[in-house]
Amino acid sequence: RDVKAFDTLTFCNLLQIDKAYLIEELKKAKNYSYRKPSIFLAQLSAIDYGILQEQMFRFKGFFVQQRTMRAYTTNNASHVLGYIGEVSSSDISKDDYYKPGDYIGKNGIERVYEKEMRGEKGRRLQMVDRFGRIKARYRDGHYDTRSVPGKDLQLSLDIDLQSYAEYLMHNKLGSVVAIEPSSGEVLALVSTPEYDLNSLVGRNRSANYLKLAKDTLKPLVNRAISGTYSPGSTFKLVNASIALEEEAINKFTKFSCQGRLSSPTKCTHNHISPLNVVTAIETSCNPFFWKTFQSTIENPSIGDTKQALDIWADYVQSFGFGKTLGIDLPNEKRGNVPSSDYYTRFYGGTWWRAITIRSLAIGQGELLVTPLQMANEAAVLANRGFYYPPHMVKAIDDVPIKDTTLTRRINSGIKKENLEIVIEAMEQVYDGSLGTARAYKHPDIRMCGKTGTVENIGKEDHSAFICFAPLDTPKIAICVIVENVGFGSTWAAPIATLLMEKYITGSIMPKRQWIEDNFMKLNTLHLEEKE
């Protein structure tokens, strides 16, 4: 009703819209009401608003209504923080708190803790005439209510560690998860490629979201909790723990290895033979773990092959595999731990044996895990047999989280003395003369780790590494996955090692700066080879 004739060309140029949009929105406004105001264009940027405000006197009937907008002061942790978007009809039907035009958390912490952060709306009841003009407050505001601010969340992320992890993972596909073993608090969670959170705020949100959704590198996918991989040789730590617990082997059991001539499972390199479990983990010997797995699955004291595999699967799940760990982020995947029923259905009978499923011995085959689960595996070992569910939020409005689902201690069922043998071997991965991460040994920190080179059919192998430190009083447990690059010792191991040093000491020793320098050079060379 109040809109008068105006210069449509200037108006469209100021708002960067076309004439068709102008005509359509004016039509919608008239259909809605001749007297009640309605939204013509939402989410003007500060720059657009400043330019328009100087010219508003030329456009009678139009006015600017301020509203709060989400702003992100850091580009870090996009997959953790998540983003918001306008509510859908489905959102409104599920919760009468929302009205058309409201915003709601769509992903990450924004989604999981939406109710805590949104607060409560205020309410003002007003009396209007038949033209919608406000006449008075209903009963002098007796039924009006004040709005209540949302609650503050305190995340467990260490921002310095998170930033450094993102720096090391720049221009790579993969993820990093770092956990404090003593609490389950997530210290860093990186999924690359990342995206700019502020690109999903404002008028260009839809266009930017569509661009991200169509990106073949899938930047919107949180690989840390939704990506599933074979764990490769990092899983040898679990198989060793189970075999020791079930007395299929002991610390002194030795198996021979003929290197690349070994059968039915080949080794990737030549090393001393025969060897025990500590040296087998140190050198990542495939034949040793095939024979260890065979001794476990075909162990008469456990039962037949079917029973033995189900017991094996129960142990694997007790490490947190094959199920969601309950992290307070959306879209966590459970992965896959195959049971005897799976193979019975697949092979159509019960004649299969350990050799049929021997890929499980070295963390391949039907076994699928997430990087979060692999970091949790490292936390189980660091704690000598138990873990706390990984979580991102440690306090709400300064009140520590005391939810039993986050603070309960979950045991792996493996005795501490058996895990100590595995941990001794993990230290040798750094400290031993044959250790696959010996190049990155720290002079002052006793680190424990395990490399993994994960087969990726049709493409280059994934690089994997899990670790914790310090040995006796673990403060951090880490998993690093770098996709399609090759050996675990070349890519994932230096990243994880640098992150442990950064977290424990606060910086990288000058005489160890070469690890970062060489790694970043290697990264550049690798990218150039791909181009």
Side-chain angles (χ1 to χ4, degrees):
R1 180 172 64 93
D2 295 329
V3 174
K4 308 299 181 183
F6 61 95
D7 184 343
T8 58
L9 179 60
T10 300
F11 189 73
C12 289
N13 287 339
L14 284 171
L15 294 179
Q16 300 177 42
I17 60 176
D18 57 32
K19 188 176 180 180
Y21 180 89
L22 172 63
I23 294 171
E24 181 64 23
E25 292 304 311
L26 286 175
K27 182 179 178 180
K28 288 180 182 178
K30 289 178 181 178
N31 290 338
Y32 172 70
S33 173
Y34 270 84
R35 292 178 173 83
K36 292 182 180 179
S38 59
I39 296 175
F40 176 81
L41 185 65
Q43 300 183 345
L44 285 176
S45 69
I47 295 174
D48 290 340
Y49 169 74
I51 296 172
L52 180 63
Q53 192 66 15
E54 296 178 356
Q55 304 291 326
M56 283 299 291
F57 69 93
R58 302 172 62 182
F59 311 112
K60 300 298 182 183
F62 290 92
F63 65 93
V64 177
Q65 176 69 53
Q66 292 186 345
R67 64 171 297 171
T68 57
M69 290 283 292
R70 180 74 85 236
Y72 299 95
T73 58
T74 176
N75 282 329
N76 297 120
S78 58
H79 289 93
V80 173
L81 299 179
Y83 50 85
I84 62 174
E86 194 167 334
V87 292
S88 64
S89 57
S90 175
D91 295 324
I92 295 171
S93 65
K94 291 176 183 176
D95 191 338
D96 59 9
Y97 173 92
Y98 300 104
K99 306 299 180 198
D102 285 349
Y103 284 80
I104 190 172
K106 294 289 188 179
N107 206 351
I109 292 293
E110 294 273 20
R111 174 175 164 183
V112 175
Y113 290 92
E114 163 71 12
K115 290 185 177 180
E116 288 80 1
M117 293 194 292
R118 74 187 186 187
E120 297 178 18
K121 292 179 180 178
R123 180 178 64 185
R124 175 177 290 181
L125 300 181
Q126 300 177 126
M127 294 188 292
V128 299
D129 63 16
R130 65 191 182 93
F131 298 116
R133 293 175 297 198
I134 298 172
K135 293 301 181 180
R137 296 173 70 182
Y138 181 66
R139 293 200 174 183
D140 295 323
H142 179 75
Y143 294 103
D144 294 352
T145 60
R146 290 181 177 273
S147 60
V148 178
K151 297 178 180 179
D152 293 330
L153 305 183
Q154 182 181 351
L155 302 188
S156 58
L157 288 181
D158 182 297
I159 192 61
D160 291 335
L161 186 69
Q162 178 77 20
S163 299
Y164 190 46
E166 291 178 13
Y167 166 72
L168 294 176
M169 289 295 291
H170 184 60
N171 281 337
K172 304 173 188 68
L173 295 177
S175 57
V176 174
V177 180
I179 297 173
E180 182 180 68
S182 62
S183 67
E185 292 177 3
V186 177
L187 303 171
L189 191 146
V190 177
S191 176
T192 52
E194 295 192 305
Y195 57 92
D196 183 357
L197 285 168
N198 287 299
S199 70
L200 297 181
V201 175
R203 286 172 58 191
N204 295 322
R205 181 191 184 281
S206 295
N208 290 335
Y209 181 85
L210 187 61
K211 186 183 299 183
L212 291 169
K214 289 183 176 180
D215 192 325
T216 56
L217 297 181
K218 300 181 179 180
L220 292 176
V221 173
N222 187 345
R223 286 171 160 83
I225 63 173
S226 299
T228 55
Y229 310 82
S230 296
S233 292
T234 62
F235 192 73
K236 291 173 180 175
L237 305 175
V238 177
N239 271 331
S241 300
I242 297 171
L244 289 164
E245 186 68 23
E246 287 297 321
E247 299 182 354
I249 63 169
N250 59 47
K251 185 177 180 179
F252 306 103
T253 301
K254 288 188 175 183
F255 295 122
S256 62
C257 173
Q258 284 75 48
R260 291 178 174 83
L261 299 177
S262 299
S263 179
T265 302
K266 296 180 180 180
C267 206
T268 57
H269 54 289
N270 295 312
H271 49 72
I272 61 172
S273 178
L275 66 172
N276 62 18
V277 64
V278 172
T279 308
I281 291 173
E282 177 188 350
T283 59
S284 200
C285 175
N286 287 344
F288 180 94
F289 282 96
W290 148 239
K291 293 168 185 173
T292 296
F293 183 71
Q294 183 183 38
S295 299
T296 304
I297 301 303
E298 297 180 357
N299 186 342
S301 65
I302 297 178
D304 61 24
T305 303
K306 184 177 183 297
Q307 292 171 320
L309 183 68
D310 287 338
I311 290 173
W312 172 89
D314 287 342
Y315 276 120
V316 174
Q317 290 176 354
S318 73
F319 276 80
F321 296 113
K323 58 186 177 182
T324 56
L325 292 170
I327 190 170
D328 41 355
L329 288 174
N331 305 316
E332 181 192 358
K333 295 290 180 64
R334 61 186 301 160
N336 183 56
V337 176
S339 65
S340 63
D341 288 341
Y342 175 90
Y343 290 110
T344 298
R345 290 195 305 270
F346 185 82
Y347 291 107
T350 58
W351 56 267
W352 52 271
R353 296 291 181 267
I355 194 168
T356 318
I357 55 174
R358 62 186 179 277
S359 293
L360 298 178
I362 54 174
Q364 298 283 169
E366 294 73 28
L367 188 66
L368 291 174
V369 304
T370 66
L372 175 68
Q373 291 171 340
M374 294 170 70
N376 193 65
E377 173 194 349
V380 171
L381 292 161
N383 288 331
R384 275 62 174 178
F386 64 89
Y387 69 91
Y388 297 101
H391 53 281
M392 303 298 315
V393 173
K394 59 190 298 183
I396 301 177
D397 270 354
D398 294 326
V399 179
I401 293 282
K402 293 183 179 180
D403 187 336
T404 55
T405 62
L406 297 180
T407 57
R408 74 187 190 282
R409 173 170 158 165
I410 302 172
N411 293 313
S412 68
I414 308 291
K415 296 185 186 68
K416 181 180 178 181
E417 55 264 33
N418 289 323
L419 292 175
E420 289 289 4
I421 296 171
V422 174
I423 292 166
E424 176 189 343
M426 292 178 71
E427 185 180 22
Q428 289 300 107
V429 169
Y430 278 106
D431 203 46
S433 60
L434 302 174
T436 52
R438 62 187 181 278
Y440 314 118
K441 176 185 176 181
H442 195 284
D444 302 321
I445 304 173
R446 297 179 71 182
M447 296 179 172
C448 301
K450 181 68 189 79
T451 51
T453 303
V454 182
E455 292 181 12
N456 186 26
I457 298 174
K459 296 182 180 179
E460 199 165 354
D461 294 340
H462 299 321
S463 174
F465 194 75
I466 66 170
C467 54
F468 70 84
L471 170 68
D472 295 322
T473 54
K475 296 180 180 179
I476 186 169
I478 295 179
C479 168
V480 175
I481 294 278
V482 187
E483 297 180 13
N484 308 319
V485 292
F487 294 116
S489 58
T490 306
W491 292 86
I495 295 175
T497 304
L498 289 168
L499 290 173
M500 286 195 294
E501 180 177 359
K502 174 77 170 178
Y503 182 71
I504 292 170
T505 69
S507 61
I508 305 301
M509 293 177 65
K511 66 180 181 180
R512 287 173 57 81
Q513 187 64 41
W514 67 269
I515 300 176
E516 180 184 312
D517 293 342
N518 283 3
F519 176 72
M520 298 311 287
K521 288 178 184 177
L522 181 62
N523 179 48
T524 301
L525 289 172
H526 187 79
L527 289 175
E528 289 175 350
E529 290 171 0
K530 290 288 186 183
E531 292 175 352

